[in-house]
Amino acid sequence: MQIKNLMSEELITVDKDQNLSDALKLLRKHNVSRLPVTNHKELVGIISERDIANKLGSSKAENMPASRFHISSVMVKDVITVPETMQLADVAKIMLDKGIGSVPVMRGDEMVGIVSKADFVTLAVGIAFDKIAVKEIMSKEVIDVSPADRLVHARRKMLDNNVGRLPVVDDDKLVGMITSKDLMRAFIDFRKNVPEKYQKSQIKEVLVEDIMSSNPCYVSKEMSITEVSNIMMETGFNGLPVIEDGKLVGIITQTDILRLIEKLES
């Protein structure tokens, strides 16, 4: 199958000279996690929730509201694109090799769509995926945080390990999840509500438990990939903790499913 048959043709873009506040409104309005960035309709970058969370959480950006940042100062400039005729497996391999969550799709010099890991997840249903269990493809080495950890520590863990979500574990029990979206919203709310002169000291007092999602959705290692894919599509979650006998034993993400599809399609 060519990627043009899977891509989303609805393109929500943001101009490089707009500010982060404009991007945040678009992300929220359209319930997407990244936006292609344009300059006079030409693709010049891409910006994601993770990029925004990383920027707003950096020490260099302390005390500055989102409205002070231009998109061009936050976006990823070296955008990897694919032609609309490229095969699914080849696109999946590029995304896996480069560690990216989406790629704009081109027809010549024109951007005609975008494809994300979430689009690939829609393919992971049916007989072939009914026969594959979570335990066969899940990541067993889980990077987690404690509810008492500082928010800045969680951000650093995500950055260092190039992940967009962390299970929150207390006394070996899963008590929550924290994502790039949670970080992004927390940093924005913090800047709005805390006077500028107190931000540098008080940001260190914000804890994971203050912003994490409690009672997280989880799966068992015996569930099929079809079941997990359906949960991801229904909830919009990019990753799900795997629980056995009340303990966290792994995590299954869109990346794991993308890797499976790439293997089956090759």
Side-chain angles (χ1 to χ4, degrees):
M1 183 192 295
Q2 294 183 342
I3 202 64
K4 65 182 178 182
N5 297 314
L6 180 64
M7 72 182 188
S8 171
E9 295 181 36
E10 183 184 4
L11 287 169
I12 299 119
T13 64
V14 65
D15 189 272
K16 74 176 182 67
D17 293 325
Q18 289 179 266
N19 61 45
L20 270 191
S21 295
D22 298 319
L24 294 170
K25 289 173 186 174
L26 287 170
L27 290 169
R28 192 176 297 116
K29 178 181 178 181
H30 297 282
N31 193 29
V32 293
S33 59
R34 56 188 56 81
L35 298 166
V37 182
T38 58
N39 180 30
H40 302 298
K41 296 186 178 180
E42 179 186 352
L43 178 67
V44 293
I46 196 162
I47 188 168
S48 69
E49 291 172 340
R50 195 186 300 190
D51 299 324
I52 296 171
N54 291 345
K55 185 70 171 184
L56 293 181
S58 70
S59 57
K60 292 181 181 178
E62 281 176 353
N63 307 331
M64 290 178 64
S67 59
R68 294 267 297 277
F69 292 98
H70 281 109
I71 299 296
S72 57
S73 69
V74 183
M75 71 183 190
V76 173
K77 297 184 174 96
D78 297 324
V79 190
I80 295 166
T81 64
V82 296
E84 63 177 344
T85 53
M86 185 174 279
Q87 294 296 310
L88 286 181
D90 296 327
V91 177
K93 187 175 188 309
I94 288 171
M95 292 171 72
L96 289 166
D97 289 348
K98 300 296 184 180
I100 53 178
S102 67
V103 285
V105 181
M106 311 296 287
R107 180 183 298 146
D109 293 330
E110 180 189 3
M111 180 171 53
V112 293
I114 189 167
V115 66
S116 68
K117 289 177 185 175
D119 295 315
F120 278 91
V121 169
T122 65
L123 300 175
V125 294
I127 296 174
F129 297 94
D130 286 339
K131 297 176 181 177
I132 303 171
V134 166
K135 63 185 177 184
E136 296 177 53
I137 72 165
M138 71 181 192
S139 303
K140 294 176 183 175
E141 291 186 16
V142 186
I143 300 151
D144 58 42
V145 287
S146 158
D149 282 337
R150 294 176 177 181
L151 182 64
V152 290
H153 175 66
R155 170 187 170 273
R156 175 45 57 189
K157 266 199 167 182
M158 285 190 188
L159 267 174
D160 290 346
N161 295 283
N162 193 31
V163 295
R165 70 206 56 78
L166 297 170
V168 185
V169 177
D170 188 22
D171 196 22
D172 288 334
K173 183 180 178 183
L174 179 72
V175 295
M177 286 287 287
I178 184 170
T179 66
S180 294
K181 186 190 292 286
D182 297 325
L183 284 179
M184 180 185 74
R185 290 176 174 172
F187 285 127
I188 290 166
D189 290 343
F190 179 82
R191 287 160 190 261
K192 284 182 181 177
N193 299 322
V194 178
E196 188 173 317
K197 64 180 178 179
Y198 299 125
Q199 288 183 8
K200 188 170 185 178
S201 59
Q202 290 192 21
I203 189 62
K204 297 173 184 175
E205 304 307 316
V206 182
L207 304 180
V208 167
E209 64 186 353
D210 297 329
I211 71 159
M212 71 182 190
S213 301
S214 302
N215 302 314
C217 179
Y218 59 85
V219 297
S220 76
K221 65 179 188 178
E222 302 300 333
M223 287 177 69
S224 72
I225 300 307
T226 292
E227 291 175 290
V228 170
S229 297
N230 281 326
I231 291 172
M232 286 184 175
M233 285 186 279
E234 289 167 10
T235 62
F237 295 152
N238 298 337
L240 296 164
V242 184
I243 301 295
E244 183 180 27
D245 297 328
K247 289 191 175 183
L248 181 68
V249 295
I251 189 166
I252 184 165
T253 67
Q254 290 179 343
T255 301
D256 297 315
I257 293 175
L258 180 64
R259 190 174 292 111
L260 173 64
I261 291 172
E262 191 267 336
K263 181 180 177 182
L264 294 176
E265 289 278 338
S266 296

